[in-house]
Amino acid sequence: MTSSRFAVATHILTLLALKGDEPLTSEVIAASVNTNPVVIRRTMAGLREAHLVVSQPGAGGGWRLVGAPEAITLCDVFRAVETDDLLALPPKLPNASCPVGRTICGTLGEVFHEAEMAMAERLARVTIADVLRDAVPQSSSPR
Amino acid sequence: MTSSRFAVATHILTLLALKGDEPLTSEVIAASVNTNPVVIRRTMAGLREAHLVVSQPGAGGGWRLVGAPEAITLCDVFRAVETDDLLALPPKLPNASCPVGRTICGTLGEVFHEAEMAMAERLARVTIADVLRDAVPQSSSPR
DNA sequence: GCCTTTCGTAACCAGTATAGTTACAGACAA
DNA sequence: TTGTCTGTAACTATACTGGTTACGAAAGGC
């Protein structure tokens, strides 16, 4: 199981998309996510590094979305906040004197990578704008 | 990040496939995986419930594969040992008085499920026989 | 320049999960 | 009946997460 950082990050970005250009403080965001402002700032660190949001200290400051909600996919969000692999290899190396132990990590490493790519591709088909449309149906005109 | 149970379970099943009908004890398996026999038995519990292996107590006992290695996919193995969802929703419910907080869990729940299904489909395309072929290339005749 | 607001981050705590280990009861075969 | 296995409970060390407090630094209003 992953941490909930990915879910929290998506929630935040959707909230920022809803508010448009108005900067939101960590405290306001924390009230919607129902957690602590520090937890929000911790999550935002990854999003800022990925250039998905910008932050502004001082009075009247807060967080703003960088790009268009249509241009941010959930895959981008996932990559920004979730650094570890989802599927884990064993903590200790297997016994190299066994033919299976010698090869299993390489084999599984490839398969795991492909499986994670398949998941990422599915996430890439959903954008923050899609998530926002679920929250505020009238927020977007049908194409 | 998941536990390493999935990787360990795949290792074990490949080992059982390599040995054919000869039953392997937890101790022998533990030596190949490089861990403790109890860790092995713990992992096997899920595989036994899923009818992927059978166990036999007593002298000359141990573990044997139930079906053909070609018939066991990594998706089967994953489902047998990994019970939790991979992608997690936040521990505390969001604020229902916010339009995003009200809907985000439902929206993300669907997306997460679809993403996990995409991963499972990829895992279903690999069998224990495939993994074994990586370990012992001559173990299988080319089709 | 000073004061308020806000981010940025370190530090710490509680809860939880995992892997590893010991211990022992129960099942089975020779 | 004895030795060999599985099955499982219990305990430990370790690590990660989320929550919290605290405080420094940046920015803007007065």
Side-chain angles (χ1 to χ4, degrees):
Chain A
M1 178 108 102
T2 59
S3 70
S4 66
R5 265 194 298 270
F6 176 37
V8 170
T10 306
H11 181 154
I12 295 171
L13 293 174
T14 307
L15 201 59
L16 293 178
L18 174 66
K19 298 303 174 117
D21 272 345
E22 176 189 350
L24 295 185
T25 69
S26 304
E27 196 158 355
V28 169
I29 298 173
S32 170
V33 178
N34 192 19
T35 183
N36 194 287
V38 177
V39 173
I40 299 298
R41 290 201 279 265
R42 238 169 0 209
T43 303
M44 301 308 264
L47 299 178
R48 179 164 24 89
E49 275 179 45
H51 305 291
L52 297 178
V53 298
V54 285
S55 62
Q56 168 95 11
W63 301 89
R64 281 195 340 265
L65 220 52
V66 163
E70 292 80 13
I72 304 178
T73 72
L74 294 201
C75 179
D76 299 331
V77 181
F78 184 80
R79 292 247 163 81
V81 297
E82 214 66 59
T83 58
D84 289 341
D85 286 338
L86 265 94
L87 301 173
L89 293 174
K92 298 166 78 172
L93 284 178
N95 187 339
S97 66
C98 162
V100 177
R102 200 156 41 225
T103 56
I104 191 76
C105 286
T107 303
L108 285 184
E110 280 182 41
V111 174
F112 286 5
H113 184 251
E114 283 171 27
E116 287 172 22
M117 289 298 287
M119 206 198 66
E121 276 171 31
R122 188 67 194 78
L123 290 178
R125 301 224 292 271
V126 181
T127 69
I128 293 296
D130 295 328
V131 178
L132 179 60
R133 206 171 303 133
D134 264 20
V136 193
Q138 71 277 19
S139 72
S140 164
S141 56
R143 255 190 280 177
Chain B
M1 177 108 103
T2 60
S3 70
S4 66
R5 265 195 298 271
F6 176 36
V8 170
T10 307
H11 182 154
I12 295 171
L13 292 174
T14 307
L15 201 58
L16 293 178
L18 174 66
K19 297 305 175 116
D21 272 344
E22 176 189 350
L24 295 186
T25 69
S26 305
E27 197 158 354
V28 168
I29 298 172
S32 170
V33 178
N34 193 18
T35 183
N36 194 287
V38 176
V39 174
I40 299 298
R41 291 202 278 266
R42 229 156 26 198
T43 303
M44 299 309 264
L47 299 178
R48 179 163 24 89
E49 274 178 47
H51 305 289
L52 297 178
V53 298
V54 285
S55 63
Q56 167 94 10
W63 302 88
R64 282 194 339 265
L65 221 53
V66 163
E70 292 81 13
I72 304 176
T73 73
L74 293 202
C75 179
D76 300 330
V77 181
F78 184 79
R79 293 244 162 82
V81 298
E82 215 65 61
T83 59
D84 290 341
D85 287 338
L86 263 93
L87 301 173
L89 293 174
K92 298 165 79 170
L93 283 178
N95 188 340
S97 66
C98 163
V100 177
R102 201 154 42 226
T103 55
I104 191 77
C105 287
T107 303
L108 284 185
E110 281 183 40
V111 174
F112 285 5
H113 184 252
E114 283 171 29
E116 287 172 23
M117 289 296 287
M119 205 198 66
E121 276 171 32
R122 189 67 194 80
L123 289 178
R125 300 223 293 270
V126 181
T127 68
I128 294 295
D130 294 328
V131 178
L132 179 61
R133 205 172 303 132
D134 263 20
V136 192
Q138 70 278 17
S139 71
S140 164
S141 55
R143 252 188 283 178

